[in-house]
Amino acid sequence: MKPTYEAISWQDDHLVILDQTQLPLREIYSDVNTIGQVWEAIKKLKIRGAPAIGIAAAYGIYLGVKDLESRNFTSFSVEIDRWIEYLESSRPTAVNLSWAMKRIKQTIFANKDKDLDKIKEIILDTAKTIHAEDKRTCKKIGEIGSKLVKNGAKILTHCNTGALATGAYGTAFSVILHAHDDNKEINVWVDETRPLLQGARLTAWELQKTEIPFKLITDSAAGALMNTGQVDMVIVGADRVAANGDTANKIGTYSLAVLANENDIPFYVALPLSSFDLNIESGVKIKIEERDAEEITQFGTTPITPKKTDAYNPAFDVTPHKYITGFITENGIIKPDFKKNISSLFD
Ligand code: MRU
């Protein structure tokens, strides 16, 4: 069943987003008309998930330049660079944002001899193409990944990797969705994903919408479930994968990978090729976003700690490639040797 909701859509001359900070209690669609609003929506996680951030940023560049009156290509491209830097400052870890920015920039330079109005049109078309490609890519990831799922499988997933985090279908979520559509009897364990509860709020919402059986667990229950034979596979998404396969994803992913390894449970990462960063050799060099302490010291807006409690809140962690069974991509399943097999994906 293809999800009927869309996290992001382009309508006439602006973006419409499903505000993910309000889910699951309220389904609020908001208009996004300016690049400043795109930056804010990404920063505040109204739009979130690596591929969705890239798609939104691509539209954001168009919103930034559509009314710009530059005299020539040189001053226009200076403005583009300024906007790219601005959007990249919103969230550092997901590589899809800078991947989309690079693609926009390459297209602009390939068309530098055209008049500026035409180039603006081309920017919008490129954003629409990135969006449409991501929908096709995520479908393919689901179709390929479904083959790994056995009938009766109990699958553990982390954070949110569904249509909300992508153009459509999702990544890890797409595998689950396609396995369900292929009539496999699956049960999904959804962990809460502290502190912002992408699992409890968003993945649970998406699984309910798509009528897939699931149960919510606390993050700390995962180990006990694995140790008592209640998990057959773990599938997660990724925000940035280095050339050797080290994977940055939502905080808590690393702990799940180590637990899966300890319990001989396959651990898969599902992602589009746009989430690989071959410029980074290993995970050590991946920049990890640190978010406000209040996300931990408060529950929503209610304080849950003694006054002045300090907290450290990294939003992502890096899972060393040795804990990963395979990568599920639109071009197939990548097994070790990751360094060699990832690089051959891009030949
Ligand atoms: O902080 P978030 O909610 O943007 O984190 C999202 C994740 O970590 C996802 O697992 C990842 O972006 C892959 S989404 C297909």
Side-chain angles (χ1 to χ4, degrees):
M1 177 195 297
K2 186 178 179 192
T4 49
Y5 48 90
E6 282 194 288
I8 303 167
S9 60
W10 181 258
Q11 293 183 15
D12 303 326
D13 57 355
H14 68 284
L15 277 179
V16 175
I17 62 159
L18 176 52
D19 182 347
Q20 298 188 34
T21 60
Q22 302 293 317
L23 287 173
L25 301 183
R26 285 173 291 273
E27 288 179 33
I28 296 178
Y29 287 87
S30 325
D31 290 339
V32 173
N33 293 295
T34 65
I35 188 167
Q37 288 170 349
V38 173
W39 186 91
E40 195 237 40
I42 294 174
K43 182 80 185 168
K44 296 200 169 154
L45 273 58
K46 293 178 184 175
I47 301 169
R48 45 145 300 283
I53 293 174
I55 295 164
Y59 286 116
I61 292 293
Y62 173 73
L63 291 172
V65 298
K66 76 180 165 76
D67 299 322
L68 191 72
E69 296 200 5
S70 293
R71 263 171 288 122
N72 53 45
F73 182 79
T74 312
S75 64
F76 183 77
S77 79
V78 168
E79 285 303 312
I80 293 280
D81 283 345
R82 211 166 57 85
W83 284 137
I84 287 179
E85 202 181 314
Y86 171 63
L87 286 175
E88 286 183 348
S89 73
S90 58
R91 296 193 77 191
T93 305
V95 69
N96 305 65
L97 203 166
S98 48
W99 172 87
M101 299 296 92
K102 264 189 212 114
R103 185 148 162 197
I104 296 262
K105 212 171 157 184
Q106 273 163 5
T107 315
I108 292 172
F109 272 86
N111 290 283
K112 63 194 286 223
D113 297 331
K114 303 212 165 67
D115 73 59
L116 294 181
D117 282 339
K118 185 68 198 164
I119 296 180
K120 288 178 189 175
E121 243 176 67
I122 291 171
I123 295 174
L124 178 58
D125 286 347
T126 309
K128 286 180 182 171
T129 305
I130 290 173
H131 195 174
E133 278 177 11
D134 191 65
K135 293 179 187 181
R136 287 196 295 273
T137 296
C138 287
K139 186 164 193 293
K140 198 87 203 145
I141 290 171
E143 288 164 358
I144 291 171
S146 169
K147 299 195 177 77
L148 294 168
V149 179
K150 297 202 176 82
N151 194 30
K154 299 179 283 294
I155 305 170
L156 173 65
T157 192
H158 186 53
C159 195
N160 173 266
T161 62
L164 291 173
T166 59
Y169 300 100
T171 56
F173 191 93
S174 182
V175 174
I176 291 168
L177 192 66
H178 280 81
H180 179 71
D181 285 353
D182 292 343
N183 292 321
K184 294 180 185 167
E185 259 182 51
I186 52 167
N187 278 285
V188 183
W189 294 114
V190 177
D191 66 18
E192 291 178 294
T193 318
R194 283 278 293 150
L196 295 180
L197 306 176
Q198 287 92 332
R201 294 188 305 106
L202 308 176
T203 302
W205 183 83
E206 292 206 63
L207 287 165
Q208 238 169 34
K209 288 262 181 201
T210 48
E211 297 172 14
I212 300 172
F214 73 94
K215 265 196 190 144
L216 181 68
I217 55 169
T218 59
D219 296 326
S220 28
L225 291 184
M226 290 194 207
N227 194 227
T228 50
Q230 299 185 71
V231 178
D232 298 311
M233 68 192 300
V234 181
I235 319 177
V236 299
D239 284 83
R240 189 184 295 249
V241 176
N244 68 348
D246 291 353
T247 295
N249 191 48
K250 178 54 54 195
I251 191 80
T253 303
Y254 167 59
S255 324
L256 292 177
V258 174
L259 285 166
N261 183 261
E262 167 71 16
N263 290 285
D264 288 327
I265 295 167
F267 184 94
Y268 284 99
V269 177
L271 76 170
L273 296 189
S274 55
S275 298
F276 285 96
D277 183 355
L278 299 197
N279 295 319
I280 288 189
E281 259 166 63
S282 80
V284 187
K285 300 220 175 102
I286 300 178
K287 185 157 186 222
I288 299 296
E289 175 185 7
E290 196 182 323
R291 296 187 62 87
D292 289 346
E294 286 73 36
E295 289 182 357
I296 308 184
T297 59
Q298 298 178 0
F299 213 80
T301 50
T302 311
I304 54 167
T305 56
K307 275 192 188 129
K308 296 190 190 149
T309 296
D310 199 6
Y312 171 52
N313 183 17
F316 300 95
D317 59 26
V318 174
T319 299
H321 61 87
K322 67 175 177 184
Y323 294 117
I324 296 169
T325 310
F327 293 95
I328 306 168
T329 77
E330 67 269 36
N331 282 8
I333 295 158
I334 313 303
K335 294 274 187 172
D337 171 345
F338 288 134
K339 201 170 172 193
K340 182 165 133 263
N341 295 339
I342 289 173
S343 106
S344 66
L345 273 177
F346 294 87
D347 288 346

